[in-house]
Amino acid sequence: MRLEVVGKNVIRVDAFSKVTGRAIYPDDIYLEGMLYGKTLRSTVPHAYIKVDTREAEKIDGVVKIFTYKDVPNNRHGVVFKDQEVFCSEKVRRIGDPIAFVVAKDKKTCELAIERIKVEYEKIDAVFDPIEAMKPEAPKIHENSNIIYHYKLRKGDVEKGFRESYVIVENVYKTQMVDHAFLQPEAGVGYIDEEGRVTVVVATQYPHYDRDEIAQSLDLPVEKVRVVNTNVGGAFGGREDISLQIHLALAAYVLKKPVKVTYSREESFLAHAKRHPMIMKYKTGASKDGLLLAMEAEIIGDAGAYASWSRNVLRKAGVHATGPYYIPNVKIDSIAVYTNNPFTGAMRGFGATQVAIAYEQQMDILARKLGIDPVTIRKKNLFRQGSETATGQILTESVPLEECLDKAIEGMGF
């Protein structure tokens, strides 16, 4: 087969429209008779709620205020259906959606949001994932706060540590990070010429979005259409539902086009973040720098909803040993609910955080053994034929040593 793209300098099909400003994003779309929407969000992290929309509904120009009562199936979520389209009895984080105002213009939406009365009965919250794992901790959902526990076992860790000349133990922490993409969430919902509920949105998962919209509205999937526009950055932050179901519900009920554009502040409140992780590492090596054992406990703060936490923490566990051969491994990787902003997909998907830990362990081992940090890495790098901690045999494409050599050369060492 003749390769027409691989290895060639090919012009992106969307490059011209983007650099000339002709590319269409959701906020560029205007339809005749279009209404506007805005979401009322929780201002407290954990509380039972009572919502009164009567005063807001009297405002001239307000078309409808949607709450959980208007949603046929009020549950959604990419892996676990643990999120509500609109909170019915309890909020679990700051930013939880409570109601959705649809009005003739944006100013009326904002005025109505101010007039909706929310009575909060605050309850104990937990923001530390280690505290959240304790049996007596406040429960974010009905059951345990532990969402997922991945276990990786290889060889005999205790024997590996007994045979180690040097052992390094440390705890590493990474912070919550927002994707901060350039284009805040925006979209338009309407009924198309074939009678389908249509949502025009910048998304990473149009097929997931369609499924979740269909389930929430109790519609056949073929009655829902998601049109993906140009995406102004995502990096994982558009893999969860934000405004898609709100728009679809409003369009379906009102039979009119409805548009929403988030402010930067609301964007921060609405979408998932990178998982903060607490990583307790213990690494043992021989006198000449060969890695013999590693034990790690990785605790990931999932926030109020699971999102992709199961997948992220599994990948963190799988990659906890890094690009190094270690014969004896014990890894526990745990995702935990808290009342923090919910966390999900972000570039690296769990493999990014653990690199902070295993690479610092390598530097500390090198210093304690009096070995150059490059040399100790070369002694332990995966090569063709190496076995990973999960038992995978690497049969091809393992150019790690070459990559390290090129990096050192580029740094002038």
Side-chain angles (χ1 to χ4, degrees):
M1 179 184 291
R2 185 164 61 92
L3 296 178
E4 297 181 353
V5 175
V6 176
K8 306 294 194 304
N9 185 9
V10 178
I11 296 174
R12 289 175 56 119
V13 295
D14 60 350
F16 183 78
S17 64
K18 287 183 174 178
V19 299
T20 57
R22 298 177 184 178
I24 300 298
Y25 297 88
D27 195 42
D28 297 320
I29 298 170
Y30 293 86
L31 300 177
E32 186 176 350
M34 188 167 67
L35 301 172
Y36 292 84
K38 188 171 179 62
T39 304
L40 172 69
R41 298 182 179 277
S42 170
T43 57
V44 302
H46 208 195
Y48 293 108
I49 59 169
K50 292 181 180 178
V51 182
D52 185 348
T53 62
R54 289 174 294 180
E55 184 180 343
E57 287 167 345
K58 295 175 183 177
I59 297 172
D60 184 41
V62 170
V63 177
K64 185 171 176 60
I65 299 176
F66 293 88
T67 67
Y68 75 93
K69 298 175 184 178
D70 299 293
V71 189
N73 178 12
N74 198 36
R75 311 293 291 186
H76 72 92
V78 287
V79 178
F80 302 122
K81 303 300 180 186
D82 62 349
Q83 297 190 54
E84 291 185 300
V85 179
F86 301 113
C87 295
S88 56
E89 297 178 352
K90 188 170 90 161
V91 295
R92 296 171 171 85
R93 65 174 177 114
I94 291 174
D96 257 348
I98 296 172
F100 184 63
V101 174
V102 178
K104 63 180 182 180
D105 55 45
K106 295 178 183 178
K107 286 187 177 180
T108 304
C109 287
E110 292 168 0
L111 179 59
I113 290 288
E114 294 173 1
R115 297 281 179 87
I116 296 174
K117 297 176 182 177
V118 182
E119 182 182 325
Y120 292 103
E121 181 188 337
K122 294 182 181 180
I123 50 182
D124 289 341
V126 60
F127 305 101
D128 182 334
I130 294 177
E131 291 298 316
M133 292 170 66
K134 296 177 179 178
E136 65 272 18
K139 297 296 181 288
I140 313 306
H141 297 271
E142 291 73 23
N143 301 313
S144 169
N145 289 330
I146 296 176
I147 303 170
Y148 175 71
H149 185 171
Y150 172 80
K151 298 180 181 181
L152 193 161
R153 305 288 188 266
K154 178 188 178 186
D156 185 339
V157 164
E158 296 306 320
K159 179 174 179 289
F161 284 125
R162 285 197 301 271
E163 295 175 352
S164 295
Y165 179 77
V166 63
I167 296 173
V168 171
E169 294 186 70
N170 283 297
V171 177
Y172 303 92
K173 297 181 181 181
T174 61
Q175 72 275 33
M176 182 176 288
V177 180
D178 191 272
H179 308 76
F181 34 68
L182 287 178
Q183 173 207 357
E185 292 85 345
V188 178
Y190 62 94
I191 307 299
D192 74 4
E193 63 280 358
E194 296 182 26
R196 296 173 295 186
V197 178
T198 302
V199 175
V200 182
V201 66
T203 177
Q204 291 178 262
Y205 275 152
H207 296 93
Y208 272 82
D209 292 354
R210 185 176 71 157
D211 287 345
E212 294 216 69
I213 291 168
Q215 290 170 19
S216 291
L217 271 58
D218 197 20
L219 291 173
V221 173
E222 60 269 20
K223 290 292 185 181
V224 177
R225 180 183 177 213
V226 175
V227 179
N228 204 1
T229 64
N230 285 282
V231 179
F235 323 118
R238 301 186 197 271
E239 291 192 18
D240 296 271
I241 289 292
S242 55
L243 44 66
Q244 294 92 321
I245 299 175
H246 298 178
L247 284 170
L249 175 66
Y252 178 64
V253 171
L254 300 175
K255 301 297 187 287
K256 288 188 176 182
V258 181
K259 182 175 182 176
V260 172
T261 301
Y262 285 177
S263 65
R264 177 61 64 189
E265 180 181 8
E266 186 170 10
S267 178
F268 283 143
L269 292 172
H271 66 250
K273 309 289 182 271
R274 188 193 291 281
H275 287 73
M277 292 189 185
I278 301 169
M279 301 169 287
K280 183 179 180 181
Y281 264 67
K282 179 180 179 181
T283 313
S286 67
K287 190 172 185 178
D288 59 356
L290 285 176
L291 296 175
L292 298 180
M294 175 182 284
E295 183 174 359
E297 182 185 59
I298 303 161
I299 300 172
D301 185 350
Y305 302 106
S307 181
W308 293 101
S309 291
R310 177 188 181 100
N311 308 56
V312 171
L313 269 295
R314 181 178 65 245
K315 182 156 285 193
V318 166
H319 291 275
T321 57
Y324 306 110
Y325 171 72
I326 308 176
N328 304 292
V329 177
K330 179 184 178 184
I331 307 293
D332 289 277
S333 186
I334 306 167
V336 185
Y337 282 129
T338 68
N339 291 110
N340 290 318
F342 78 100
T343 51
M346 190 172 184
R347 289 199 168 197
F349 222 79
T352 307
Q353 294 93 317
V354 291
I356 298 293
Y358 62 68
E359 291 296 357
Q360 289 194 63
Q361 289 287 94
M362 293 297 282
D363 285 340
I364 297 168
L365 284 169
R367 185 168 66 246
K368 285 183 173 292
L369 291 167
I371 300 175
D372 180 86
V374 174
T375 301
I376 195 171
R377 285 173 168 81
K378 284 190 174 185
K379 280 177 175 284
N380 295 284
L381 280 175
F382 286 145
R383 292 172 173 81
Q384 196 165 340
S386 293
E387 181 183 7
T388 71
T390 59
Q392 178 185 2
I393 305 300
L394 304 176
T395 58
E396 58 185 344
S397 188
V398 196
L400 291 168
E401 188 168 6
E402 179 184 356
C403 179
L404 183 56
D405 286 339
K406 289 289 185 183
I408 298 302
E409 180 184 335
M411 294 169 68
F413 295 145

